[in-house]
Amino acid sequence: MGMIRLKNVSKYYYSKGIIASGISRVNLDLDAGEFVVITGESGSGKSTLLNVISGLDTYEEGEMYIEGKETSHYTASDFESYRQQYISCIFQSFNLVSSYTVYQNVALAMQIDGCDPSEIRLTVNDIIKKVGLYEFRNRKVSKLSGGQKQRVAIARALAKDTKILVADEPTGNLDSESAEGIVELLTDIASDKLVIVVTHNYEQFRDHATRIIKMHDGKIVEDTGAASGKIKDEAAPAYGHRSTRAEHRAKKESISYGTQLKLGVRNTFNLPAKFLLLLLVFIFVISSVSAQYVSVKKQKDTVAEVGWNNYFTNYDPKRIVVEKQDRSAFTKADYEALENAPHVEKLIREDIMYDSSVYIENKDFSFYGYVLNINNLDKTPDLGGLPKADDEVVLSGYDDGWTFGEKPGELIGKTFTVSTDGGAEQKVKVAGIVMLGTDGDEEEMVTENNMIYFSDPLIAEVRKSMYASNSTTTMLINGTEQTLYPGSGGLTVNENVPEGYILLPTSYDPMFKEGYAAGKEVELRAKALYYDQELSLMIMGTYGEKTFERKTGLENLAEHDGEIYINEMDFRRLYEKGSFQASVFVDDTKNTDGMKDMLERGGYHTLVLKDHINNFMNEELVSIIQLPMAVIVCLAVFFIAYFVIRLILKSRGVYFATLRMLGMGKEPARRIMRVELILDCMISYALFMLFIYLNRIGVVNSAKLMDHLTYLTVRDYIVLAVILLVMAVLISGRFMRSIFKSSAMGTYREEA
Ligand code: ADP
Ligand code: MG
């Protein structure tokens, strides 16, 4: 029984509606131990016949038997496993992994079959010696001559150790001397395998072939030596431990995870240019995605942070809200520089209060308005005069007969209480009143804004209580953190409590060992957009029903239920912060852009109301517009990255087609690719983090980047890493699908 038998086999090519005959009605018997040379002029069907025999191409008519088994019902995957078991291919174009060494190329064939490393080492070295390349075993294939490359290909075929070895024009690219060496090697191999060689150069093989088949026009016209096709008695395996190879295949074992990882790592670094390009692409992805992410967050933040309350009461198009890029408080020098900058009409130092209203009231009269610094008052009061003490204020408002009551003059010199959201109360005296609208100033009438002009110290006081009510205040008490809310249960100043101490209700006692809070420590923390203040205090004791009045000096426990008391100095430590936000008004709206540029260069973040206030007014709207935009941009980035990576990985296409021809399945191939891309993207990520770190410690200096970084939290960095990983996995999956979508040979032709 022959190894391969063809009975009346025909193969047609269909292309563009034309049918061409590849081979027609071919009859052929091939046996182990034969060295068959197929020859004939170009176009005679040699390659077609070889491809049919090796299962690379299908046939349309006739029958083919493999070791007696009929193959007409074979599916593509049947032929695939036939090739894996029986066929090793040698090509005119060598088809090696040129970035691997000789040893690595030969070992690959055995690794794919899942052989043990020690077995691989032994066998591969043996085979390399046999093909005469031992001294070159650690040289990269790209550095070898054509003849040497073909020897590597033969060595690899030997390592694959199949019963049939096919070679299509193996000497086609070689000079006659190298060709001779190859012919001899093949002859040697043919002693125990079926070797089929296609060549148009019959002379080279004449002395060695056991059988010569001549083709013409798709038919066999001559077949000499068939009868003398002798099978030599060759029992012992020539190389390595052949029996185990058969076992591996029988058990359908394949490449181990360790080897997959090893190959993935090797592939990452073995082509430096490709490695660097991939890094660039991933860094491009990281920076574009993070930039998008930051811009969404920034917009949201800007809207959220402006004036604590998401909207402005003053929409003046000339207004630019500024904060310092390092988010520190404004200094006197900052204010002066801003005030004296060109095109600045006025500067509102207390921007947050500018948009927040306060009441001043006593039992007869109450007035509601926005707080401004007395420095911003550009008129002389119509009634009374300018303040002479820190606790004196000037009121300003539209004089419609209601704003200041019936007898405005009587308000001068009276004492009022200022009340803010913060709840803290402050006594002030009215020094003067500015009446708007009395001189027929139409514009002033439209704004309808009541203003209260405060001195600096007064502003600091009010600001402190505003911060107290707008900060998130937490207390870390014996390992548990709780949030303190203004009002009942909140933090309150009490003069009976010494500095550095805190007084708690008895309800806190059980939280401590032995049931006593006294003498233990608590950690207070006040956090807001611009500051994060921690303060350690010692618990001076707890108060209950009986001790409340004695310990606090207050009356009526019911009204103060659950309150926590600290000293005024400590309260100031927590909340007495500078001003972090100011507003610059330009002299003319046409100067806002120039001003914005100047401010940003000068170290400020800016929010130009003219640009924003009409576009969106709240956070939700920002998400509605910005988020989909960011998603679209990110998707675009991914697609660009995918196509660029595909281009860069073009060489990988040939590589994986080669692996596939050596019998590797889709899954291991995908994992090898995945290892490579994940490594690439993680290295890019590490570089990105390094760059950020260098920026943080000031080695690299980019204000814009610093600005961006303030918006990224640890969670965002993790999300970014996950996005990259997912991307690497998806791309390797897609890439493998495209490699495995057509037949191994088809893919190879396409990729090469
Ligand atoms: P050889 O290898 O002897 O040069 P081939 O087996 O390549 O010959 O080709 C045999 C015949 O089949 C030729 O007439 C050729 O035109 C045709 N043929 C080969 N490959 C294709 C193909 N992919 N599409 C169409 N016709 C083909
Ligand atoms: Mg050919």
Side-chain angles (χ1 to χ4, degrees):
M1 183 181 60
M3 180 104 78
I4 301 279
R5 163 172 289 185
L6 274 70
K7 265 172 93 175
N8 289 327
V9 170
S10 300
K11 154 91 192 158
Y12 304 104
Y13 291 104
Y14 305 89
S15 67
K16 295 170 195 147
I18 299 165
I19 301 176
S21 168
I23 50 174
S24 63
R25 305 185 69 80
V26 168
N27 288 293
L28 192 60
D29 269 290
L30 299 169
D31 267 316
E34 280 190 297
F35 184 6
V36 184
V37 171
I38 303 174
T39 177
E41 74 272 28
S42 177
S44 57
K46 307 183 295 288
S47 297
T48 308
L49 179 59
L50 197 70
N51 290 348
V52 167
I53 289 172
S54 55
L56 284 170
D57 260 337
T58 53
Y59 56 95
E60 274 78 36
E61 279 172 13
E63 288 142 41
M64 179 162 87
Y65 297 86
I66 299 163
E67 291 193 323
K69 279 174 290 193
E70 220 279 310
T71 61
S72 56
H73 63 279
Y74 268 31
T75 61
S77 77
D78 288 332
F79 274 115
E80 193 125 310
S81 60
Y82 157 66
R83 275 214 325 280
Q84 261 179 51
Q85 270 193 54
Y86 285 84
I87 308 285
S88 307
C89 296
I90 290 168
F91 299 86
Q92 185 173 349
S93 51
F94 319 123
N95 188 9
L96 298 166
V97 182
S98 51
S99 58
Y100 281 16
T101 64
V102 170
Y103 182 92
Q104 287 169 342
N105 265 282
V106 179
L108 203 53
M110 293 185 76
Q111 286 169 330
I112 288 170
D113 277 339
C115 298
D116 298 333
S118 59
E119 184 190 346
I120 294 177
R121 212 167 21 252
L122 259 166
T123 314
V124 170
N125 279 326
D126 248 14
I127 292 173
I128 293 177
K129 263 180 214 150
K130 164 141 190 98
V131 301
L133 287 177
Y134 195 68
E135 58 190 305
F136 299 114
R137 68 191 183 283
N138 289 324
R139 186 173 289 192
K140 277 201 177 176
V141 162
S142 54
K143 300 219 169 75
L144 298 179
S145 72
Q148 288 168 327
K149 281 181 186 167
Q150 201 58 294
R151 280 164 188 273
V152 177
I154 291 172
R156 190 177 61 186
L158 288 177
K160 194 165 179 233
D161 195 16
T162 53
K163 293 182 180 171
I164 304 172
L165 192 153
V166 301
D168 196 344
E169 303 279 3
T171 56
N173 278 345
L174 306 181
D175 58 78
S176 60
E177 200 180 322
S178 327
E180 205 166 299
I182 298 299
V183 173
E184 262 159 30
L185 255 181
L186 289 172
T187 312
D188 197 20
I189 292 162
S191 58
D192 69 328
K193 287 181 194 297
L194 168 58
V195 175
I196 311 168
V197 175
V198 160
T199 181
H200 62 273
N201 193 347
Y202 150 72
E203 288 300 317
Q204 282 176 347
F205 291 88
R206 190 175 48 190
D207 298 339
H208 303 274
T210 61
R211 185 168 174 186
I212 291 169
I213 293 172
K214 197 161 179 204
M215 295 197 68
H216 177 74
D217 203 12
K219 292 192 175 68
I220 294 177
V221 291
E222 216 180 297
D223 188 351
T224 54
S228 70
K230 71 253 175 253
I231 304 166
K232 287 184 193 164
D233 312 306
E234 192 76 33
Y239 317 104
H241 314 273
R242 175 166 304 165
S243 53
T244 57
R245 300 297 306 284
E247 277 166 32
H248 281 300
R249 289 212 187 100
K251 280 193 272 176
K252 293 223 178 246
E253 274 177 16
S254 79
I255 183 162
S256 69
Y257 288 124
T259 310
Q260 290 169 24
L261 187 67
K262 203 166 102 183
L263 290 179
V265 174
R266 185 196 291 166
N267 295 348
T268 310
F269 302 107
N270 69 355
L271 293 170
K274 183 230 66 178
F275 173 63
L276 289 178
L277 273 174
L278 277 182
L279 287 194
L280 278 182
V281 174
F282 278 114
I283 286 172
F284 162 73
V285 171
I286 295 171
S287 33
S288 345
V289 170
S290 62
Q292 275 306 313
Y293 189 78
V294 163
S295 86
V296 171
K297 255 191 135 171
K298 197 171 174 176
Q299 294 267 29
K300 268 182 125 164
D301 241 42
T302 319
V303 175
E305 84 190 27
V306 165
W308 306 103
N309 50 11
N310 286 357
Y311 62 91
F312 296 94
T313 48
N314 183 313
Y315 296 48
D316 197 325
K318 293 176 180 172
R319 179 176 174 188
I320 301 175
V321 179
V322 294
E323 63 172 14
K324 289 167 79 176
Q325 276 168 12
D326 60 8
R327 298 207 155 182
S328 61
F330 281 84
T331 62
K332 242 192 158 84
D334 294 332
Y335 285 136
E336 276 162 19
L338 286 174
E339 259 161 356
N340 295 325
H343 301 300
V344 172
E345 189 186 78
K346 66 175 172 182
L347 176 75
I348 303 296
R349 297 181 176 205
E350 303 295 334
D351 187 73
I352 285 166
M353 285 188 225
Y354 188 49
D355 293 302
S356 312
S357 50
V358 300
Y359 279 97
I360 68 161
E361 55 195 349
N362 65 13
K363 62 185 189 334
D364 302 319
F365 174 75
S366 86
F367 182 87
Y368 159 94
Y370 299 97
V371 176
L372 273 179
N373 193 296
I374 190 74
N375 293 343
N376 290 114
L377 182 61
D378 52 6
K379 295 189 168 69
T380 40
D382 299 299
L383 297 170
L386 288 169
K388 290 186 186 67
D390 285 344
D391 67 343
E392 292 189 338
V393 302
V394 171
L395 308 182
S396 153
Y398 174 51
D399 178 30
D400 59 358
W402 294 98
T403 313
F404 298 108
E406 281 167 27
K407 293 173 183 156
E410 290 190 356
L411 299 175
I412 307 295
K414 292 268 163 57
T415 299
F416 295 88
T417 306
V418 181
S419 60
T420 66
D421 314 343
E425 294 182 349
Q426 191 68 36
K427 300 278 186 230
V428 295
K429 253 186 232 158
V430 174
I433 293 176
V434 175
M435 295 195 168
L436 304 177
T438 47
D439 51 0
D441 188 337
E442 288 294 320
E443 198 190 328
E444 297 283 11
M445 281 170 63
V446 176
T447 63
E448 284 189 10
N449 275 348
N450 290 343
M451 297 292 174
I452 309 177
Y453 292 92
F454 278 25
S455 64
D456 278 332
L458 208 47
I459 279 180
E461 274 309 310
V462 175
R463 189 173 55 212
K464 181 188 68 189
S465 59
M466 290 179 97
Y467 283 161
S469 65
N470 286 299
S471 303
T472 303
T473 307
T474 55
M475 179 162 70
L476 186 66
I477 181 161
N478 199 23
T480 37
E481 191 178 64
Q482 67 182 97
T483 306
L484 306 179
Y485 299 98
S488 91
L491 213 51
T492 312
V493 170
N494 189 289
E495 50 197 25
N496 285 10
V497 179
E499 213 176 322
Y501 285 89
I502 186 167
L503 177 64
L504 299 168
T506 45
S507 56
Y508 282 95
D509 277 327
M511 295 179 74
F512 292 92
K513 243 196 245 157
E514 297 130 19
Y516 290 110
K520 314 270 169 39
E521 288 236 319
V522 295
E523 209 36 72
L524 290 180
R525 183 173 186 185
K527 209 175 157 194
L529 203 59
Y530 295 105
Y531 52 83
D532 185 353
Q533 179 71 55
E534 288 181 36
L535 184 64
S536 275
L537 295 175
M538 170 88 76
I539 302 171
M540 68 179 283
T542 50
Y543 66 84
E545 236 170 281
K546 294 197 182 85
T547 53
F548 175 69
E549 289 183 12
R550 176 169 58 79
K551 287 189 173 172
T552 64
L554 301 169
E555 290 166 11
N556 199 350
L557 174 60
E559 268 179 29
H560 298 279
D561 196 24
E563 276 178 7
I564 294 166
Y565 298 101
I566 61 173
N567 184 272
E568 189 184 342
M569 290 317 290
D570 291 323
F571 195 83
R572 282 178 190 278
R573 261 178 211 119
L574 281 176
Y575 301 114
E576 196 169 65
K577 306 285 169 199
S579 176
F580 300 94
Q581 201 171 293
S583 269
V584 172
F585 284 72
V586 291
D587 52 5
D588 192 313
T589 46
K590 72 174 193 287
N591 291 327
T592 46
D593 289 344
M595 179 67 78
K596 177 184 156 79
D597 283 352
M598 195 199 75
L599 288 167
E600 298 208 327
R601 264 181 283 119
Y604 294 96
H605 288 150
T606 60
L607 179 83
V608 180
L609 284 211
K610 176 168 75 81
D611 298 344
H612 290 273
I613 207 73
N614 294 323
N615 296 344
F616 49 78
M617 285 297 291
N618 59 42
E619 278 183 63
E620 275 119 89
L621 209 58
V622 177
S623 346
I624 290 170
I625 301 162
Q626 267 257 309
L627 220 53
M629 276 301 291
V631 169
I632 289 168
V633 171
C634 286
L635 283 179
V637 166
F638 287 143
F639 275 108
I640 293 169
Y642 173 70
F643 285 110
V644 175
I645 287 172
R646 264 212 71 143
L647 266 180
I648 296 172
L649 292 182
K650 195 80 197 150
S651 61
R652 285 282 174 267
V654 181
Y655 172 77
F656 282 107
T658 305
L659 291 193
R660 197 180 164 196
M661 282 203 295
L662 291 174
M664 182 179 284
K666 189 171 175 177
E667 271 312 307
R670 203 209 314 265
R671 278 192 291 266
I672 290 173
M673 176 101 244
R674 212 181 276 165
V675 168
E676 177 176 357
L677 285 185
I678 287 176
L679 252 176
D680 275 322
C681 79
M682 286 299 106
I683 293 171
S684 316
Y685 186 76
L687 287 176
F688 175 73
M689 296 302 277
L690 178 72
F691 185 68
I692 285 176
Y693 177 71
L694 290 180
N695 200 275
R696 285 253 153 91
I697 62 170
V699 175
V700 182
N701 226 325
S702 159
K704 199 163 170 77
L705 184 68
M706 267 328 269
D707 172 27
H708 269 216
L709 296 184
T710 53
Y711 291 95
L712 291 174
T713 63
V714 172
R715 207 193 59 187
D716 299 332
Y717 287 120
I718 294 171
V719 168
L720 195 59
V722 171
I723 287 176
L724 278 177
L725 279 179
V726 169
M727 192 181 151
V729 168
L730 288 182
I731 289 179
S732 46
R734 257 215 71 90
F735 195 70
M736 279 312 131
R737 264 202 299 286
S738 73
I739 295 281
F740 278 80
K741 71 171 185 287
S742 53
S743 69
M745 196 55 214
T747 309
Y748 185 77
R749 278 198 214 107
E750 244 170 63
E751 300 292 337

